[in-house]
Structure formats: structure tokens, C-alpha cells
Amino acid sequence: MNIKWNALAQTAGISFGITVAVVTVFALGILALSRREAVLEAAGGTGSGGTGRANAALAGATVCFAACAAVVVYGLSLIAG
């Protein structure tokens, strides 16, 4: 039995890096949603002032969560395919 240690180390390193990246992007999405809530509370629910920033934060969170979902789907397709 011959183990290719270099390939094993590369695979472990890449999977660790991707895991850290996905967790970071997910945390940024959670942060964006939190900031959105803060902006909406500061506006007082009047619907004016800060709604543009709230929409931008929601868009940023959506992009972050979509990127996480895309990575997960791609990983599943690699496993299944």
C-alpha cells in the first residue's frame, strides 16, 4: 500500500481553506442581517431614512448566503458525480 502524502496534504489543506471561507462568508451574511435590523430599528419603523442602507444590507446578506449555498451544492455534486 502506497499513500501519496503530498496529495493527501493538498486535499486536506484545500478543504480546510474552503471550510474557513464558507464559514466566514456565512458569518458576514449574518452580520449584514444584524446591521439591517439595526438600521430599521434606528429608523423607527417610519419607512423613511435608512431604508436604502437596509436594502443594501439585505442584498449583501443574500449574496453571502447564495455563495454559501452554491459551494455546498457544488461539493455535493462532486460527491454524487
Side-chain angles (χ1 to χ4, degrees), residues 8-35:
L8 180 63
Q10 286 178 349
T11 302
I14 289 172
S15 62
F16 179 75
I18 295 297
T19 301
V20 169
V22 169
V23 169
T24 301
V25 171
F26 189 82
L28 288 173
I30 296 293
L31 179 65
L33 285 180
S34 174
R35 296 247 170 113

Side-chain angles (χ1 to χ4, degrees), residues 47-75:
S48 63
T51 56
R53 288 187 300 184
N55 289 339
L58 181 61
T62 303
V63 169
C64 288
F65 295 141
C68 289
V71 170
V72 169
V73 168
Y74 179 68

